[in-house]
Amino acid sequence: METETSRNAILCVDDEAIILITLQKELRKQLGNLFQYETALNAEEAMEVIDDLVSAGVNVILILSDWLMPGIKGDEFLILVHQKYPNIRSILITGHVDAAAVDRVKKEAGTYTVIPKPWDVNKLMDAVRVCCNLN
């Protein structure tokens, strides 16, 4: 039997599989089964995952995205998502970012914050809780 909360998802996007596994484990450890935890290795795959989830009636609450990825960079991806799905919140997690991209993603995608890699788990989870209205 599906609960209301299982109809909500958090999507992690990074071109490094180990980062996705780590993020997923940390989210599950901190938030339990409040959400579905989905992953994608690039922006194109992530957009397909979002479209599929939305089509299935799943509410994508939050995207945690890397910035430096092959193809579409994280800021461009989050802006595209925001244009199509303005209610999805986002957090950029990155080891490399330029100031212009940070300003742009905050302004054009409404990105909540940019968290540096390696991330501080408490800062990351505080931001996730804010974006998911859990605080």
Side-chain angles (χ1 to χ4, degrees), residues 26-81:
E26 192 59 45
L27 289 166
R28 188 163 277 121
K29 179 177 149 191
Q30 299 275 340
L31 305 175
N33 294 322
L34 284 178
F35 302 96
Q36 275 180 234
Y37 304 104
E38 301 291 338
T39 60
L41 287 164
N42 58 54
E44 200 173 278
E45 182 185 340
M47 195 56 97
E48 288 174 20
V49 170
I50 295 165
D51 289 340
D52 290 349
L53 288 168
V54 169
S55 295
V58 175
N59 188 20
V60 180
I61 302 283
L62 176 64
I63 298 170
L64 303 173
S65 179
D66 186 20
W67 178 65
L68 190 57
M69 298 184 287
I72 301 172
K73 288 196 172 37
D75 61 327
E76 298 166 48
F77 161 64
L78 292 174
I79 289 165
L80 289 171
V81 169

Side-chain angles (χ1 to χ4, degrees), residues 110-131:
T111 295
Y112 175 70
T113 192
V114 177
I115 302 217
K117 285 181 184 173
W119 60 81
D120 173 307
V121 170
N122 293 326
K123 283 184 181 161
L124 175 63
M125 293 311 301
D126 286 348
V128 167
R129 285 184 181 93
V130 168
C131 289

